[in-house]
């Protein structure tokens, strides 16, 4: 009798053990960049939703502050999560060189990711012919304006340098600042402005040639672009009135200034949609947006949306569950409606995956201004009418130089030419070190 | 078992072993590694290439590094004078207060226990051009502090140092006060009989008697001024235009923003040698019979 009971017990234990090992879901851990505003939504609409829809892979999302500082020691120690975020493609290049990130080419071929993503976005993760990262978010630089204020004063939105400067004079005459902006919350905001002037004055074709080494950054169009930015910032005080105030305002300050008629316009990335809509919702004014005005006829025609990825996702080279991680990524990329719902819940400021959206994919209740951006950007960028942001297409050292040393130009300690000479030197060094990030053929 | 393994001396080493072991792997080994990394072009991830003394040559050409060294010297001089003088005076005055002294001690020491981020936010708000003092004065029709001193290249370094000194001087008050309480009262009584003034008592009794603590405070200030980082990083990130850049901030930027870890190690090595020279200098003074 005792033997029988023992047999039944052992059979039960062994069955339970094998059943658990055979049918247990593969666990995939993903370290994501943390943001208090978006983490709960991402957890619910991405991580929990994924786990609820299937039982092959169990996804655990771990939100980390300053992901790049956190992931670096984890990867170097040969451990770390199965999947991880990075701030951008330039970091992936370093990880790829060090063999810390897994090539996703076989998964991209298997799941057809190239067909799902916008061409430029897919190419931004291709190094040495293989896919290593996928952008989690895309953005570009535009300007918002106070529509009510413009209508009241009979102002037209500017399309070229002459119109910009003429409008700026009218706005200043009314006692307002031309643009709201500031760098106290994020010193690299300077590079937003530099990128804008490179793309709208020197033009995307020239920027592209300089990125791939066919042109020098010291060529006159780039030097002139920096001189024009210096003039507008220092001599004219376009941004928040003067240079010192620009250095002192943080995100809340300048967004508030824009919504309360302290400034007439806000030149910012498309991450500004959400906060602009929220802030104007508390006023009686209306807002709208436009692509950046083209400041030089040689720079081509509008719109030239600068391409930018805001964070990437990749698979750890040391992951034992890379297949599971690829399934997670494919799930994320496979449903445009779900992707739009997630990013819509975040005000289109995060998780705006670079998928090929069409009119039919959008919720009918979407703000038409937001929808106009999403469709116009997709059309323009897919047809090759685009520019380049510094934070997506610059290697680390020249990228940091752009925003750190721009202050030195504004301070009058070096000339725009000296600034661009240093830029060229750092680009030459990065090229020699094979540290460039992929640009994609124009 | 051999006798020396169970001797008192050996047992002491057994107890020390965990600390030595941890210290070696957490402090000593990375420090030695850093010494070696300064001879490489490592970016923090990939292959490590030996570049000889190239980083040192680059360092002596680096205009930002030169600027940062100059700022560190200015910083040290400011900290060796302003908070030291103020703390000495306040501590001496406090010794004369019999009632409510604890309250003053708490008030002076309070900024020291606040996190640097809190101190910085308080002062950033005070100097904010829109809703700080500048905004308030503007509403009164007075053009004062209209621009934040953190945002002007002429004042940024001094403004950051001001905030750090505001947080630091209370610490000096406490240690000077502790030293002053250890001075034998009979010395002051004798001075009173001789008709010494308050200043004479301070100059000829208090100051000589607290010299060991005073010199220690100077050593601490000099050494702590070398890696100063947090207040600069939070308030100005070394800007505008490197006007408040210090060596540690430059090191951070090279290591974690520009990914030049080899070069950043070179800066670290220079900082290490500088601190070594200071410590060596005071060691020589001690050997010469100075009570330091």
């Amino acid at each position: 009798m005792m033997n029988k009971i023992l047999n039944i017990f052992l059979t039960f234990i062994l069955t339970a053990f094998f059943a658990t090992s055979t049918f247990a879901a593969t666990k995939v851990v993903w370290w994501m960049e943390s943001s208090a505003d978006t983490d709960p939504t991402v957890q619910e609409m991405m991580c929990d939703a994924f786990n609820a829809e299937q039982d092959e892979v169990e996804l655990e999302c771990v939100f980390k502050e300053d992901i790049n500082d956190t992931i670096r020691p984890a990867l170097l120690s040969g451990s770390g999560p199965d999947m991880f975020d990075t701030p951008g493609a330039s970091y992936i290049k370093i990880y790829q060189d060090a063999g810390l990130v897994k090539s996703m080419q076989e998964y991209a071929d298997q799941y057809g990711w190239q067909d799902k993503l916008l061409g430029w976005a897919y190419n931004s993760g291709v190094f040495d012919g293989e896919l290593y990262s996928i952008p989690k978010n895309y953005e570009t630089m535009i300007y918002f304006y106070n529509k009510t204020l413009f209508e009241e004063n009979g102002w037209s939105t500017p399309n070229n340098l002459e119109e910009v400067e003429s409008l700026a004079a009218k706005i200043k005459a009314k006692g307002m600042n031309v643009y709201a902006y500031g760098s106290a919350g994020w010193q690299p905001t300077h590079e937003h402005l530099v990128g804008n002037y490179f793309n709208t004055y020197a033009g995307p074709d020239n920027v592209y040639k300089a990125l791939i080494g066919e042109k020098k950054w010291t060529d006159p169009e780039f030097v002139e672009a920096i001189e024009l930015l210096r003039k507008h910032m220092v001599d004219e005080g376009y941004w928040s009135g003067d240079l010192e105030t620009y250095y002192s305002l943080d995100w809340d300050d300048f967004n508030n200034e824009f919504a309360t008629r302290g400034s007439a316009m806000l030149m910012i990335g498309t991450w500004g949609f959400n906060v602009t809509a929220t802030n104007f919702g508390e006023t009686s004014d209306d807002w709208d947006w436009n692509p950046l005005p083209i400041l030089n006829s040689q720079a081509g025609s509008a719109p030239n949306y600068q391409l930018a990825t805001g964070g990437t996702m990749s698979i750890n080279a040391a992951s034992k569950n890379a297949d599971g991680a690829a399934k997670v990524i494919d799930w994320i990329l496979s449903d445009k409606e779900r992707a739009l719902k997630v990013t819509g819940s975040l005000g289109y400021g995060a998780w705006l995956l670079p998928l090929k959206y069409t009119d039919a994919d959008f919720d009918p209740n979407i703000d038409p201004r937001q929808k106009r951006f999403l469709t116009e950007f997709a059309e323009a960028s897919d047809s090759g009418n685009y520019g380049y942001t510094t934070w997506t297409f610059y290697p680390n050292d020249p990228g940091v130089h752009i925003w750190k040393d721009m202050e030195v130009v504004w301070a009058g300690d070096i000339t725009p030419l000296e600034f661009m000479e240093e830029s060229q030197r750092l680009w030459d060094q990065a090229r020699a070190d094979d540290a460039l990030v992929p640009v994609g053929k124009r | 078992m051999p006798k020396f393994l169970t001797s008192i001396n050996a047992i002491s080493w057994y107890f020390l072993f965990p600390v030595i072991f941890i210290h070696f792997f957490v402090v000593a080994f990375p420090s030695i590694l850093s010494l070696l990394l300064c001879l490489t072009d490592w970016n923090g991830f990939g292959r490590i290439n030996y570049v000889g003394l190239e980083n040192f040559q680059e360092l002596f050409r680096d205009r930002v590094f030169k600027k940062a060294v100059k700022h560190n010297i200015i910083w040290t001089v400011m900290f060796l004078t302003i908070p030291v003088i103020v703390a000495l005076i306040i501590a001496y005055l406090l010794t004369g207060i019999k009632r409510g002294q604890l309250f003053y001690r708490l008030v002076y020491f309070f900024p020291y226990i606040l996190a640097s981020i809190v101190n910085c936010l308080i002062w950033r708000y005070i100097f904010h051009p829109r809703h700080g003092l500048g905004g308030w004065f503007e509403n009164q029709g007075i053009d004062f502090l209209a621009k934040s001193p953190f945002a002007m290249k002429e004042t940024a370094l001094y403004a950051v140092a001001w905030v750090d000194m505001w947080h630091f001087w209370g610490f000096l008050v406490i240690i000077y006060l502790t030293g002053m309480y250890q001075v034998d009262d009979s010395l002051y009584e004798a001075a009173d009989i001789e008709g010494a003034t308050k200043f004479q008592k301070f100059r000829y009794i208090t100051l000589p008697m607290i010299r060991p603590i005073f010199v220690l405070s100077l050593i601490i200030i000099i050494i702590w001024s070398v890696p100063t980082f947090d207040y600069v990083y939070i308030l100005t990130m070394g800007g505008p235009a490197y006007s408040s850049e210090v060596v540690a901030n430059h090191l951070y930027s090279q290591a974690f923003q520009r990914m030049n870890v080899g070069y950043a190690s070179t800066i670290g090595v220079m900082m290490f040698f500088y601190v070594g020279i200071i410590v060596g200098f005071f060691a020589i003074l001690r050997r010469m019979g100075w009570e330091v």
Side-chain angles (χ1 to χ4, degrees), chain A residues 305-378:
Chain A
Y305 295 110
Q306 297 164 53
L307 305 179
T309 56
T312 64
M313 49 187 160
S314 293
I315 300 176
N316 185 350
S319 170
K320 293 184 174 61
N321 307 311
D323 292 351
K327 281 181 183 161
V328 173
I329 294 174
D330 187 57
W331 181 86
I332 289 169
L333 301 181
S334 295
D335 189 336
K336 286 191 283 185
E337 194 184 328
R338 181 178 55 223
L340 281 171
K341 208 170 163 187
V342 174
T343 190
S345 304
L346 302 169
Y348 300 93
W351 276 97
L352 181 52
L353 291 161
L355 304 173
K356 293 177 178 172
Y357 303 114
T358 59
D359 256 11
D361 297 320
F362 294 100
D363 185 319
N365 296 322
I366 186 174
D367 186 319
R369 294 166 292 198
Q370 179 73 61
K371 183 179 170 185
R372 179 163 66 87
F373 160 66
L374 292 168
T375 49
E376 279 185 15
F377 179 86

Side-chain angles (χ1 to χ4, degrees), chain A residues 88-132:
Chain A
S90 58
Y91 292 90
I92 291 294
K93 172 65 184 164
I94 297 171
Y95 295 142
Q96 187 239 353
D97 281 345
L100 299 171
V101 61
K102 185 176 174 61
S103 165
M104 299 193 286
Q105 195 54 52
E106 60 169 299
Y107 302 122
D109 296 338
Q110 181 187 340
Y111 293 116
W113 289 344
Q114 190 163 7
D115 297 332
K116 293 175 182 173
L117 289 157
L118 292 173
W120 68 269
Y122 180 87
N123 289 335
S124 72
V126 176
F127 299 83
D128 300 331
E130 299 203 6
L131 182 73
Y132 284 89

Side-chain angles (χ1 to χ4, degrees), chain A residues 102-398:
Chain A
K102 185 176 174 61
S103 165
M104 299 193 286
Q105 195 54 52
E106 60 169 299
Y107 302 122
D109 296 338
Q110 181 187 340
Y111 293 116
W113 289 344
Q114 190 163 7
D115 297 332
K116 293 175 182 173
L117 289 157
L118 292 173
W120 68 269
Y122 180 87
N123 289 335
S124 72
V126 176
F127 299 83
D128 300 331
E130 299 203 6
L131 182 73
Y132 284 89
S133 69
I134 291 174
K136 276 175 63 180
N137 193 36
Y138 71 92
E139 53 208 17
T140 191
M141 295 299 294
I142 55 174
Y143 76 91
F144 295 93
Y145 63 97
N146 186 324
K147 196 177 171 186
T148 312
L149 184 68
F150 270 58
E151 284 169 358
E152 276 175 15
N153 289 283
W155 297 335
S156 304
T157 53
N159 295 307
N160 54 48
L161 179 59
E162 199 184 347
E163 289 175 11
V164 167
E165 293 186 338
S166 155
L167 174 66
K170 290 176 193 165
I171 293 169
K172 286 205 283 187
K174 285 274 176 188
M176 282 177 273
N177 295 320
V178 182
Y179 298 108
Y181 220 28
S183 66
W186 179 241
Q187 196 180 13
T189 47
H190 312 333
E191 72 179 324
H192 302 160
L193 306 180
V194 176
N196 292 345
Y197 276 66
F198 278 169
N199 283 280
T200 59
Y201 187 89
D205 286 338
N206 286 329
V207 174
Y208 171 74
K209 285 176 187 163
L211 290 173
I212 62 170
E214 283 183 5
K215 251 182 115 48
K216 296 277 184 197
W217 290 104
T218 46
D219 285 351
E221 52 271 43
F222 295 116
V223 178
E224 285 166 18
I226 294 297
E227 173 52 29
L228 185 63
L229 173 57
R230 192 209 61 78
K231 179 187 149 197
H232 285 171
M233 172 63 84
V234 182
D235 299 345
E236 305 289 344
Y238 279 5
W239 284 273
S240 297
D242 55 64
L243 181 63
E244 289 78 13
T245 308
Y246 164 81
Y247 284 145
S248 304
L249 302 190
D250 65 17
W251 300 98
D252 288 341
D253 293 328
F254 67 71
N255 280 309
N256 189 45
E257 179 168 298
F258 175 49
T260 54
R261 294 193 170 200
S263 301
M265 296 183 281
L266 171 66
M267 193 185 270
I268 196 173
T270 44
W271 57 83
F273 268 108
N274 196 25
V275 70
T276 300
T278 307
N279 286 351
F280 273 77
E282 293 166 10
T283 71
S284 55
D285 285 355
D286 197 10
W287 61 275
D288 208 340
W289 70 274
N290 266 330
L292 299 179
I294 304 299
L295 303 177
N296 183 349
S297 55
Q298 293 169 11
S301 57
N304 79 28
Y305 295 110
Q306 297 164 53
L307 305 179
T309 56
T312 64
M313 49 187 160
S314 293
I315 300 176
N316 185 350
S319 170
K320 293 184 174 61
N321 307 311
D323 292 351
K327 281 181 183 161
V328 173
I329 294 174
D330 187 57
W331 181 86
I332 289 169
L333 301 181
S334 295
D335 189 336
K336 286 191 283 185
E337 194 184 328
R338 181 178 55 223
L340 281 171
K341 208 170 163 187
V342 174
T343 190
S345 304
L346 302 169
Y348 300 93
W351 276 97
L352 181 52
L353 291 161
L355 304 173
K356 293 177 178 172
Y357 303 114
T358 59
D359 256 11
D361 297 320
F362 294 100
D363 185 319
N365 296 322
I366 186 174
D367 186 319
R369 294 166 292 198
Q370 179 73 61
K371 183 179 170 185
R372 179 163 66 87
F373 160 66
L374 292 168
T375 49
E376 279 185 15
F377 179 86
E379 280 166 24
S381 64
D382 231 21
S383 62
N385 195 11
Y386 54 76
Y388 303 88
T389 53
T390 55
W391 66 95
T392 298
F393 295 98
Y394 271 48
N396 274 310
D397 217 356

Side-chain angles (χ1 to χ4, degrees), chain A residues 7 70 175 407:
Chain A
N7 277 343
T70 322
E407 290 186 358

Side-chain angles (χ1 to χ4, degrees), chain A residues 72 253 257 405 407 413, chain B residues 45 128 130 153 241-242 256:
Chain A
R72 181 152 77 162
D253 293 328
E257 179 168 298
D405 288 7
E407 290 186 358
D413 294 347
Chain B
F45 295 93
H128 196 285
R130 296 279 195 268
K153 71 170 189 169
Y242 300 109
F256 299 105

